[in-house]
Amino acid sequence: MKKFNKIFGVVLASCMTLSLLAGCGGDNNTKENQSGESQNTGSQDDTQNADNQTAGGEGVFKIGGIGPITGNNAVYGQAVQNAMQIAIDEINEAGGVNGYTFEMNFQDDESDPEKSVNAYNNLKDWGMQLLVGTVTSGPCVAVAAETNTDNMFQLTPSGSSVECVEHPNAFRVCFSDPNQGFGAAKYIGENSLGNKVAIIYDSSSIYSSGIYTKFTEEAANQNFEIVSAEAFTADNATDFSVQLQKAKDAGADLVFLPIYYTEASLILTQANQMGYEPTFVGCDGLDGILAVENFDLALAEDVILLTPFAADATDDLTVSFVTKYQEKHGDIPNQFAADAYDAVYIVKAAIEKSGATPDMSVSDLCEAIKGAMTEISVNGLTGEAITWTEDGEPNKAPRAVVIKDGAYVAM
Amino acid sequence: MNSKKMQLNKNLTNNLITYGLVIAAFFVVQGMIWTGKSSSLMQGLLVPLCVYVILAVSLNLTVGILGELSLGHAGFMCVGAFASAFFSKCVQEAIPNSGLRFFLAILIGAAAAGLFGILIGIPVLRLKGDYLAIVTLAFGEIIKNIINVLYIGKDGNGFHFSMKDALSLHMESDGVLIINGAQGITGTPKDSSFIIGVALVLITLWIVLNIIHSRDGRAIMSIRDNRIAAESIGINITKYKLMAFSVSAALAGVAGVLYAHNLSTLTALPKNFGYNMSIMILVFVVLGGIGNIRGSVISAVILTLLPELLRGLNSYRMLIYAIVLIVMMLFNWSPKCIEFRERYSLKRLLKNRNHNKKEAE
């Protein structure tokens, strides 16, 4: 009996801990999950008839999304998930596309190619007809091979490596890595921002090394000189004094940072401590630097970013999106969110153009939308009159902003 | 003599149960595919399941049978994966037959990983316990980092090699980048299939079980149980340790080959080849029972399936997974739980009933 009591006690205690944990998670996530949950109850009803891929005869386009909502890159996946939900709600409220509504299901891939393919298969079971994803490059390449086999239309909001859109069924919203490197080199050259350029990049990141390679290639054609190129890896991304010292010793007056904002904020702080004050130029990965905690915004003064999206732009579209995002999720949307928001509207435009209907098979739908993609022109958050070529690359003008008094100012 | 025969029979039945389990699972799943009852998610998970089973079984050889804690298993998997993907990418045109190409790729992956196993094993196996764990952990990280800065390209003049960046390869215009630093290898042909995976699982089981029940296996286990006693009766400790370690590494390499040819992109991320992965495999082994091969198979399958089956729970998925892990660990290894399980085990209940029946008669 004593033993029974003991076991009973343990079970009760674990139940209580569990409910406590569940409670905690709930509080933090209610905001994020409201949309997630409502969409999930919908999806459960639909799993029954998910076997036939053309399910959705009720006039619903089933859009799948894949991205990391747990793990290291969770920020990006969550931003994409939230923004997609906002766009889809907007479209559905406004009466849908040609009278059909959108339904969304977003799956976690932890930014891992293997998990991403699992998520894709899971979405296929749900009856997905179009894929908006995946968020990160590595998984995107793996999933693109699968969508190509199934001939499913894929539009990645932020998968920037070249191979992401190598198949004819895949398109993207963001610039490709080489494109960014090329654009950055050209921008620096044409605006004579510096004569001696140092680069600090992350050799373990596909994004960063992709930009770096193309940047150095293009730099040969420009009127500046690369005096140092120093790499770091994700495993030692805390101390940059060596790289900065080398840049300083080489007399660089401009430091190019094709990296993400977390490391960039450290670089800016450490450069300030060294008393080194070159011009810093970054790509869209630097977007988010103003939101870093415990970071002195004065250090980011005059940093130049080549980003397609600035959350404090004053055009109506951006203002309405940022307000909605803030109301629903409490923080300022980053460039990933903007890409995802655009992605949904691009899909809408392509469906309208092609006159596709939800009762078409996945493959027919893909052919129809693929054809329409090269004909449409979309005004979005990340660019005006964006058009696509058959190779899946977007055609839009790069935008540059400079940070003044803790805010982006267009250049 | 008689008791030896009994022992042999017991081993044989035990082994047959393990093989039978795998074969039965294979037929059930194949049956589901043929009748169209399995979901895409299930079908996509089949090859990864085989990969993890092979990894768990091979690590059990080091941890359970040799009794050394290795945290570098993902490193060997990584070597096998990259060696074979490199090979497949190079000969994709030369050998259009995917069966033959994959067969060669498996041999190359196993050989490369086995070679690294021997190279690492010679200095490292002189260490014991924690030290070995630390060194193997470091080895795994080194492999991952080297591959992340490795650039290899091929053009008319042959192979070009660099550890700086793709530009310093100085390739001709017709050159193809095969390993592109952090981007790894993309476009590996998808040669893995469930049938090949299951065949490889069976071969792995056959190799490991045969080693365990052979003269060599008993020598290895004697080293685990008492190194000094084993040495005193003339067992060549270095030889047997190295043997178990390199076989384990080679099998991990095979798992890597299967992994690399299942996805079209292969990158050495902390996620798939870092120490997290090594520990994940160790978790399979510990949960399944150290030294228990069948347990490794079962736990690898359950723990790989679990996070995918929990997808319905959205954000709580990883939380629930972690809790299940803790509960399972407690259930398996807490002394009180073992006591409880023994008291209320099915076997014992049946035995008691039979006993009571006999007494009644």
Side-chain angles (χ1 to χ4, degrees), chain A residues 108 110 114 122 125 146 212, chain B residues 39-40 52 165 271 311:
Chain A
D108 184 17
E110 303 163 39
E114 192 190 337
N122 194 16
D125 292 336
E146 301 290 321
Y212 162 73
Chain B
S39 59
S40 314
Y52 293 117
D165 53 38
K271 185 109 206 160
R311 274 192 185 274

Side-chain angles (χ1 to χ4, degrees), chain A residues 288-358:
Chain A
I289 196 162
L290 299 179
V292 177
E293 276 177 38
N294 300 326
F295 175 65
D296 183 4
L297 287 184
L299 298 178
E301 194 71 18
D302 293 332
V303 171
I304 298 168
L305 277 73
L306 298 172
T307 173
F309 172 72
D312 40 13
T314 48
D315 57 305
D316 293 345
L317 199 60
T318 312
V319 170
S320 116
F321 171 66
V322 173
T323 342
K324 261 188 201 158
Y325 195 96
Q326 261 181 317
E327 265 170 27
K328 270 202 164 148
H329 307 292
D331 47 0
I332 294 175
N334 55 16
Q335 169 236 336
F336 285 82
D339 283 335
Y341 183 85
D342 278 357
V344 175
Y345 274 96
I346 291 160
V347 168
K348 174 177 180 265
I351 290 177
E352 274 171 354
K353 180 90 188 172
S354 65
T357 51

Side-chain angles (χ1 to χ4, degrees), chain A residues 254-276:
Chain A
L254 187 147
V255 177
F256 180 54
L257 305 173
I259 52 177
Y260 286 119
Y261 61 86
T262 348
E263 289 92 24
S265 66
L266 294 171
I267 290 181
L268 290 176
T269 315
Q270 286 166 15
N272 181 52
Q273 283 161 1
M274 284 168 57
Y276 180 41

